[in-house]
């Protein structure tokens, strides 16, 4: 919220900053879900909440819905993200004619100090209720998935269900009618024939932009056990994009796109558990990547696609084989992204043989340990935040990065 801090000390200002951080985190979660909540809309949202009652759930809900949503497709995403972020069911779509007195969300009870000016405590209470409502969700965005308890994982799963993953755009060979672009001779001639051969307006067409295919290779080996469920739920949300393919890799290569097509995340996870025979087993990245390329990638699935590997890079096979197959993948794919949950740990360096062998063929090396890291991964996939590519030496080998 952009209003002035409560007078009489820094407590009001701190509460204001916390509330602003929570609302900005909500806007980031909407962007991760595919809502075009840009800077201008976010500022309008903050001003609207500041004008209304920041601590009232209904006011925050309607302020966001009226300022952050741009079309009908955004409404369903907004409902899901609001319910998950604020940890309760969203308000009804239409407000009642005679609304009951608004109930505050998890209000913070404070004692009014002696000598405080009348109304000062009420002004301070407007900011913190929203912060106390969703500050835990904001903290949860940056928590390592491996450290979460059961309740926190349940909240994380609800936030992941609202995700959206879309590949960067490519120009298709197909064309559509447009006001600007090259002249469409067929439509122009047909228009002239309708007018008896008289000259008519030139009809034009332009190429269609389409999202690139996204291929996710999710490591389900033993070393990735604490992260596998969250990453597969992230993949489940991505499959809704219809141009996403998902494979699990461990000791076998398993295509699980059909299993993840269930609308219910829990049913999808149960179907994946039945289909994948190598949960928490070993890791043969080089052999399985070769199997993927021979069976699917070379035939067109990886050609021109954004391929994302979600793995810690542990390899029990020959690292030279992995390096060879990564070079082969890099030649086929439009972009290769590697998300490593271990990358966020202090002092991390890609010294593991598999990770060191793969890095020279990786275009973007990102973290994958938290919700915020997965949000950035989604931005990298759609090309909005490419990030620095791994450094390469003169002989083509990747330099180790801290």
């Amino acid at each position: 919220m952009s209003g002035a801090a409560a007078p009489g000390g820094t407590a009001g200002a701190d509460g204001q900053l916390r509330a602003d951080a929570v609302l900005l985190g909500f806007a980031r979660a909407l962007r991760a879900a595919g809502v075009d909540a840009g800077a201008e809309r976010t500022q309008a949202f903050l001003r609207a909440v500041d004008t209304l009652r920041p601590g009232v759930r209904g006011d925050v809900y309607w302020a966001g819905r009226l300022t952050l949503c741009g079309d009908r497709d955004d409404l369903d995403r907004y409902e899901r993200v609001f319910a998950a972020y604020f940890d309760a069911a969203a308000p009804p779509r239409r407000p009642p004619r005679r609304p009951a007195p608004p109930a505050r969300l998890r209000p913070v009870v404070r004692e009014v100090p002696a000598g405080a000016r009348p109304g000062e405590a009420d002004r301070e209470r407007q900011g913190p209720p929203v912060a106390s409502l969703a500050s835990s969700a904001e903290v949860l965005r940056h928590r390592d998935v491996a450290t979460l308890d059961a309740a926190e994982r349940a909240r994380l799963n609800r936030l992941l269900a609202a995700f959206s993953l879309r590949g960067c755009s490519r120009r298709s060979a197909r064309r559509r009618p447009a006001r600007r672009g090259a002249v469409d001779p067929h439509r122009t001639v047909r228009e002239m024939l309708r007018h008896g051969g008289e000259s008519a307006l030139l009809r034009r067409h332009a190429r269609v932009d389409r999202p690139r295919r996204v291929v996710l290779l999710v490591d389900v080996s033993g070393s990735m056990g604490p992260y596998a469920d969250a990453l597969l739920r992230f993949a489940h949300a991505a499959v809704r994009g219809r141009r996403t393919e998902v494979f699990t890799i461990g000791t076998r290569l398993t295509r699980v796109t059909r299993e993840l097509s269930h609308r219910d995340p829990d049913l999808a996870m149960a179907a994946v558990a039945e289909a994948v025979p190598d949960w928490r087993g070993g890791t043969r990245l080089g052999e399985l990547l070769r199997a993927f390329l021979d069976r699917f990638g070379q035939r067109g699935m990886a050609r021109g696609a954004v391929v994302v590997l979600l793995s810690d890079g542990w390899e029990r096979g020959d690292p030279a084989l992995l390096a060879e197959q990564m070079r082969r993948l890099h030649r086929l794919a439009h972009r290769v992204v590697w998300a490593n949950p271990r990358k966020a740990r202090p002092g991390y360096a890609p010294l593991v043989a598999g990770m060191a062998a793969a890095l020279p063929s990786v275009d973007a090396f990102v973290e994958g340990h938290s919700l915020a890291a997965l949000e950035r991964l989604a931005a990298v996939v759609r090309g909005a935040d490419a990030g620095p590519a791994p450094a390469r030496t003169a002989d083509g080998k990747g330099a180790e990065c801290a």
Side-chain angles (χ1 to χ4, degrees), residues 330-343:
H330 194 264
R331 289 192 296 268
L332 285 173
H334 171 72
R335 202 148 182 260
V336 179
V337 182
W338 194 299
N340 190 334
R342 314 287 179 182
K343 186 176 184 290

Side-chain angles (χ1 to χ4, degrees), residues 213-236:
R213 180 185 291 108
V214 179
V215 181
L216 301 178
L217 302 175
V218 184
D219 190 345
V220 295
S221 62
S223 60
M224 287 289 292
Y227 302 97
D229 182 76
L231 295 179
L232 284 171
R233 288 179 182 271
F234 171 76
H236 170 261

Side-chain angles (χ1 to χ4, degrees), residues 209-365:
D209 288 340
R210 292 187 175 182
R212 292 184 179 273
R213 180 185 291 108
V214 179
V215 181
L216 301 178
L217 302 175
V218 184
D219 190 345
V220 295
S221 62
S223 60
M224 287 289 292
Y227 302 97
D229 182 76
L231 295 179
L232 284 171
R233 288 179 182 271
F234 171 76
H236 170 261
V239 168
R240 291 198 300 264
R242 296 183 182 181
R243 290 187 60 82
T244 304
E245 293 286 343
V246 183
F247 295 81
T248 61
I249 52 177
T251 58
R252 298 185 184 182
L253 177 71
T254 308
R255 188 178 184 180
V256 293
T257 308
R258 180 180 298 179
E259 286 74 12
L260 290 174
S261 62
H262 289 285
R263 293 180 62 88
D264 186 271
D266 294 328
L267 290 178
M269 291 302 103
V272 170
E274 294 182 1
V276 177
D278 54 339
W279 281 99
R280 297 180 180 272
T283 313
R284 298 186 301 166
L285 295 178
E287 295 180 22
L288 297 185
L289 188 56
R290 180 173 59 185
F292 164 74
L293 292 172
D294 290 344
R295 185 175 178 185
F296 301 99
Q298 196 73 38
R299 297 183 179 181
M301 184 178 291
R303 192 179 301 276
V306 180
V307 181
V308 183
L309 294 97
L310 301 107
S311 173
D312 56 4
W314 284 93
E315 170 65 300
R316 291 190 177 183
D318 185 5
L321 176 61
L322 176 59
E324 177 187 352
Q325 298 306 315
M326 285 295 297
R327 289 192 295 268
R328 183 181 169 195
L329 174 64
H330 194 264
R331 289 192 296 268
L332 285 173
H334 171 72
R335 202 148 182 260
V336 179
V337 182
W338 194 299
N340 190 334
R342 314 287 179 182
K343 186 176 184 290
R345 296 185 176 181
Y348 170 82
L351 302 177
V352 178
M355 196 72 255
L359 267 183
S361 302
V362 173
D363 296 307
F365 185 41

Side-chain angles (χ1 to χ4, degrees), residues 78-222:
Y78 182 85
E79 298 283 348
R80 295 198 307 268
V81 175
F82 189 92
Y85 193 82
F86 292 101
D87 199 20
R93 289 183 176 269
R94 295 183 179 179
R97 293 182 179 179
R98 295 182 180 180
R104 294 187 177 275
L105 299 173
R106 300 185 186 175
V108 178
V109 180
R110 289 184 174 85
E111 296 182 0
V112 181
R117 284 181 286 180
E120 181 177 338
D122 293 337
R123 284 194 298 271
E124 290 192 4
R125 276 201 303 268
Q126 287 184 355
V130 176
S132 64
L133 168 73
S135 59
S136 59
E138 182 65 14
V139 172
L140 183 64
R141 290 179 62 252
H142 301 277
R143 291 277 304 279
D144 193 311
V145 173
T147 64
L148 302 182
D149 57 27
E152 291 170 334
R153 281 184 176 273
R155 292 197 66 190
L156 176 69
N157 293 342
R158 290 195 294 272
L159 289 169
L160 286 173
F163 249 77
S164 176
L165 189 66
R166 182 185 179 91
C168 55
S169 298
R170 66 175 179 87
R171 181 158 292 185
S172 171
R174 294 189 177 185
R175 298 177 182 268
R176 59 173 175 77
R179 294 184 178 180
R180 297 179 180 179
V183 175
D184 187 346
H186 300 287
R187 293 178 58 238
T188 301
V189 170
R190 285 197 298 268
E191 187 68 18
M192 293 176 63
L193 292 176
R194 290 193 190 99
H195 294 81
E198 297 291 335
S199 60
L201 292 176
L202 295 178
R203 301 298 175 178
R204 300 181 180 274
H205 57 189
R207 291 184 182 272
V208 179
D209 288 340
R210 292 187 175 182
R212 292 184 179 273
R213 180 185 291 108
V214 179
V215 181
L216 301 178
L217 302 175
V218 184
D219 190 345
V220 295
S221 62

Side-chain angles (χ1 to χ4, degrees), residues 377-394:
L377 171 61
V380 171
V381 170
R382 66 174 177 266
D385 182 13
R392 302 190 184 188
T393 58

